[in-house]
Amino acid sequence: MDPSSLSNPHEAKVDSIHMVLSVDFSNSTLSGYVDVHTTLQSDNVSQLILDSNHLAISKATTVDNQPLTHQLGATHEVFGTPVIVEIPVASRGANKQFTARVYYSTTKASPALQWLTSEQTAGKRHPYLFSQCQASMVPCQDSPSNKIRYQAEITVQAPLVARMSALFTSQVQNGDLITYHFNQDIQIPTYLIAIAVGNLVSRDIGPRSKIWSEPEMVEKGAYEFANTEKFIQAGEDLLTPYIWKKYDLLLLPPSFPYGGMENPMLTFLTPTLLAGDRSLENVVAHEIAHSWCGNLVTNRYWSEFFLNEGFTVFVERKIVGRMYGTEMFEFEAINGLKHLHDDIVQFGEANPLTALRPNLEGIDPDDAFSSVPYEKGFNLLCYLQSLVGVPEFEAWLKSYISHFSHQSITAEQMRTYFVDYFTEKGKKDSIANVDWDSWFNKPGMPHNQVEFTSALGDTAKELAKRWVSTNGEGIGATEFKVFNSQQKILFLDTLLALSEGKSLPIETIEKMDQLYELSSTGNSEYRAKWYTICLRSGLTRIQPKVTAFLIEQGRMKFVRPLYRELNKVNRELATSHFIQHRDFYHNICSKMVAKDLQI
Ligand code: BES
Ligand code: ZN
């Protein structure tokens, strides 16, 4: 049973849902009904229990309109309110199909949705809605252990366009209303049900891909993510054929709280990736990798999130490595290890949440979020690969994906499949000493680290060290200017690490800025790191740039650490700025910043 869900798929398993919903921007609600199709798992199942999170449930009926008794259970602060539908005696029985039609509406407090006014969009003329389904926008069994198919009919005011993480099948216009029809006929976990509504246009970027966004961003997006098809092909080459038919991208408004979200057929992306030089395209490679790791083979429990994210980071870097050489694989691994180290310092190295498989009971998953499942998960796979050999490990990965496709699995199943596979291949001795218990359960940095080497990385680190030891004496502009974007990021990260505790003198910062023009860069990754370095050095002239960046975009990766840094040097500014602009942020982001700033 999934501890993060109050529902009962083990008794009445939801197989598919059919949503019929209207989007109402004047009240910020999505309302209508959902048909929940289930298969009863044994003779005496008398209830269907669904999760709901700040959804207003009005009634339950059968599909032919006969009333069904329903009640709401006790509300859990994180997991929401269970909706309990009584199954009529005549409908009970093992293997019987039972359908409940649940009428509901989302509310202002529904965490799944963000409603933007026209002013909050790029075009300023039409409102916008998007989901981020930490908690679902529809009553359902909201557990990654249960996969379902879905269909939807979404009615919006013309000329707005709706898109979902499903195949768009048709649209019907009726006066000034348009109803869009969608079908997702591959089983997916409910956290992948997604919707966006707005003034959306698209452009082809590949044989199975379009980019979607407001008209203002579509050209930039088409340029930035031109390598999409190559990434998909590299993924197919590495793993199994891509089964999702379409792979579209949707560039969201700036308050989208993540870098990307792997909604099937329609990856959601932050506009902070629009660097103009494709330097942040690895996020697309990452979301593509989820088409296999996460979307096909899914973590059964959120405590084993590394089965989604660690595997995805590994495949992302393999894809990048195949396109740009293994040096890039190693390089990104080094960058990743730094992030892991920083997060483990931030959480504390004995903090149980820094274990690869943490115990999440009673913990809000947003509080537990860190690079640990990503980077420790990645390191585990690199370590296993180092024991059996690269081609052998890649063959196992292919086999693992084929074997567990369409399932939700545990880390234990993954381990067993690995051990059995290589035992059969005669490699029992090579893997005999893997300390699985420490890998899965011990907090802190991985105990068995694979060494990554990168000459490009060494050059970047060396320059950062030279700045610290010489305060820039004798350093010119060119060394930095010829770096690729990953090197620049590593350079800034190394400076950050070296300046921890003892910040760089303001004169050094000013000199660096003159040479490298970092204060005027548009690249969001450089900006976030550079601003942190400046804040730590007490360069007050940077503060207006920081506050401007904090309301230009709402990506948590940038917003949370920058508010924390600003708070250290100017608490008054940090808190008043946040309070004034709180409504700009997505509810998850605003919740986390409020916690970080202790407001
Ligand atoms: N699935 C995640 C985003 C996510 C994580 C949503 C946790 C909700 C809860 C997505 O695939 C992701 O990891 N995105 C990263 C980019 C990546 C390159 C590490 C991000 O958002 O920065
Ligand atoms: Zn991911």
Side-chain angles (χ1 to χ4, degrees):
M1 292 245 307
D2 182 353
S4 68
S5 165
L6 306 171
S7 67
N8 67 340
H10 58 292
E11 294 173 336
K13 186 206 173 298
V14 177
D15 303 310
S16 69
I17 63 175
H18 186 144
M19 293 171 260
V20 178
L21 299 170
S22 293
V23 180
D24 178 355
F25 277 102
S26 55
N27 292 307
S28 300
T29 58
L30 199 57
S31 63
Y33 67 81
V34 55
D35 284 338
V36 181
H37 302 290
T38 72
T39 304
L40 305 183
Q41 302 297 299
S42 64
D43 275 333
N44 37 28
V45 175
S46 60
Q47 295 180 327
L48 163 64
I49 309 178
L50 305 173
D51 292 295
S52 79
N53 208 317
H54 291 92
L55 303 177
I57 310 292
S58 48
K59 62 173 178 175
T61 69
T62 63
V63 282
D64 42 9
N65 239 335
Q66 300 305 308
L68 289 172
T69 309
H70 84 277
Q71 79 213 51
L72 302 181
T75 297
H76 180 285
E77 204 193 319
V78 179
F79 309 137
T81 311
V83 181
I84 306 162
V85 179
E86 296 297 327
I87 302 170
V89 175
S91 307
R92 295 180 195 170
N95 301 316
K96 278 201 183 170
Q97 314 281 306
F98 170 71
T99 300
R101 176 168 292 181
V102 180
Y103 288 80
Y104 79 103
S105 170
T106 63
T107 66
K108 292 239 167 18
S110 299
L113 302 177
Q114 188 175 18
W115 298 85
L116 302 179
T117 61
S118 315
E119 296 73 50
Q120 288 173 298
T121 67
K124 315 274 183 227
R125 287 189 300 120
H126 299 280
Y128 202 110
L129 159 70
F130 69 88
S131 65
Q132 176 55 44
C133 292
Q134 241 84 355
S136 189
M137 62 189 201
V138 53
C140 62
Q141 291 174 330
D142 206 3
S143 162
S145 64
N146 190 45
K147 294 191 171 183
I148 65 167
R149 299 185 171 86
Y150 83 85
Q151 292 184 323
E153 294 164 40
I154 307 291
T155 302
V156 307
Q157 205 81 35
L160 295 177
V161 175
R163 278 297 176 273
M164 294 189 82
S165 55
L167 203 63
F168 162 70
T169 52
S170 63
Q171 72 186 66
V172 183
Q173 182 139 8
N174 194 339
D176 60 354
L177 295 178
I178 309 177
T179 301
Y180 295 89
H181 295 246
F182 301 96
N183 182 22
Q184 178 51 271
D185 65 7
I186 297 176
Q187 294 196 332
I188 55 165
T190 53
Y191 71 87
L192 294 176
I193 299 173
I195 188 170
V197 179
N199 182 26
L200 302 177
V201 296
S202 70
R203 252 202 59 178
D204 285 336
I205 54 167
R208 47 191 151 184
S209 303
K210 290 185 195 309
I211 175 122
W212 289 90
S213 72
E214 291 185 73
E216 291 75 9
M217 290 191 276
V218 75
E219 289 305 321
K220 274 196 100 173
Y223 175 81
E224 203 77 41
F225 308 120
N227 286 322
T228 297
E229 177 61 21
K230 288 189 195 148
F231 291 151
I232 303 172
Q233 285 178 13
E236 290 190 299
D237 190 40
L238 201 58
L239 302 170
T240 57
Y242 180 82
I243 65 158
W244 303 89
K245 302 180 204 68
K246 305 255 330 149
Y247 181 80
D248 289 354
L249 299 171
L250 172 68
L251 258 177
L252 283 113
S255 61
F256 184 64
Y258 295 100
M261 176 66 209
E262 65 273 22
N263 298 315
M265 299 181 167
L266 185 64
T267 279
F268 283 19
L269 296 174
T270 165
T272 62
L273 301 178
L274 296 172
D277 59 2
R278 301 183 183 158
S279 58
L280 307 177
E281 64 179 2
N282 72 297
V283 175
V284 174
H286 178 95
E287 306 313 334
I288 287 171
H290 273 304
S291 307
W292 293 271
C293 312
N295 297 7
L296 258 191
V297 180
T298 309
N299 54 220
R300 176 165 274 273
Y301 304 114
W302 289 122
S303 54
E304 298 181 338
F305 196 38
F306 80 94
L307 293 172
N308 283 11
E309 297 299 345
F311 275 73
T312 292
V313 170
F314 188 80
V315 171
E316 166 202 338
R317 291 181 182 153
K318 286 272 177 186
I319 291 174
V320 168
R322 287 196 175 194
M323 277 182 60
Y324 301 108
T326 45
E327 161 99 35
M328 282 316 283
F329 179 97
E330 302 267 315
F331 196 117
E332 303 230 346
I334 291 171
N335 266 336
L337 208 53
K338 270 200 112 331
H339 293 149
L340 179 62
H341 176 79
D342 293 348
D343 278 3
I344 287 177
V345 169
Q346 167 92 11
F347 275 71
E349 63 181 345
N351 188 325
L353 290 179
T354 65
L356 193 52
R357 195 172 58 181
N359 179 355
L360 293 180
E361 243 165 276
I363 290 169
D364 182 343
D366 292 330
D367 290 331
F369 185 77
S370 76
S371 62
V372 168
Y374 293 76
E375 299 298 345
K376 206 193 263 195
F378 169 78
N379 271 268
L380 168 61
L381 299 182
C382 290
Y383 170 66
L384 296 176
Q385 174 176 261
S386 74
L387 301 178
V388 298
V390 173
E392 291 83 354
F393 190 76
E394 288 184 354
W396 174 77
L397 201 56
K398 227 187 236 283
S399 164
Y400 162 86
I401 295 291
S402 317
H403 186 77
F404 290 115
S405 276
H406 304 290
Q407 298 186 40
S408 298
I409 68 161
T410 63
E412 214 39 51
Q413 283 174 286
M414 183 280 280
R415 182 183 73 87
T416 305
Y417 193 71
F418 179 84
V419 171
D420 290 354
Y421 178 99
F422 284 106
T423 303
E424 201 204 306
K425 295 265 185 254
K427 294 222 172 200
K428 199 170 177 185
D429 293 345
S430 320
I431 60 169
N433 293 326
V434 179
D435 183 353
W436 295 95
D437 179 48
S438 295
W439 272 106
F440 286 167
N441 304 319
K442 255 178 74 181
M445 291 297 282
H447 60 288
N448 268 313
Q449 273 180 35
V450 175
E451 291 285 331
F452 303 111
T453 53
S454 158
L456 292 173
D458 291 344
T459 318
K461 284 190 198 166
E462 187 277 324
L463 182 61
K465 287 182 188 148
R466 197 141 37 85
W467 268 99
V468 174
S469 60
T470 66
N471 282 326
E473 211 40 62
I475 298 179
T478 36
E479 278 176 277
F480 181 80
K481 293 247 157 95
V482 299
F483 280 176
N484 68 31
S485 61
Q486 294 302 318
Q487 283 179 294
K488 289 181 180 165
I489 288 169
L490 183 60
F491 168 81
L492 293 169
D493 265 335
T494 311
L495 271 188
L496 268 172
L498 292 173
S499 65
E500 242 164 64
K502 54 170 179 71
S503 46
L504 290 166
I506 290 191
E507 309 78 67
T508 310
I509 297 293
E510 292 283 16
K511 178 164 187 215
M512 193 181 293
D513 201 12
Q514 248 166 24
L515 286 177
Y516 301 164
E517 295 165 344
L518 284 159
S519 292
S520 54
T521 174
N523 182 305
S524 55
E525 294 283 345
Y526 307 164
R527 285 173 83 181
K529 293 177 202 303
W530 175 244
Y531 295 160
T532 305
I533 292 169
C534 294
L535 287 172
R536 287 190 183 166
S537 291
L539 187 75
T540 43
R541 73 164 169 89
I542 209 69
Q543 291 183 10
K545 287 199 186 274
V546 176
T547 50
F549 185 54
L550 283 171
I551 51 176
E552 245 169 68
Q553 51 78 40
R555 184 175 174 189
M556 282 199 281
K557 174 181 178 184
F558 302 142
V559 168
R560 287 185 63 190
L562 272 175
Y563 268 115
R564 284 201 298 259
E565 292 294 335
L566 188 61
N567 189 50
K568 282 188 213 156
V569 297
N570 189 343
R571 174 157 177 86
E572 160 55 26
L573 181 61
T575 54
S576 65
H577 192 69
F578 172 64
I579 290 165
Q580 190 186 345
H581 297 286
R582 197 173 184 155
D583 286 347
F584 164 73
Y585 298 110
H586 189 277
N587 57 59
I588 302 170
C589 180
S590 121
K591 172 180 89 176
M592 298 316 290
V593 174
K595 278 192 198 183
D596 291 340
L597 299 182
Q598 295 171 320
I599 290 177

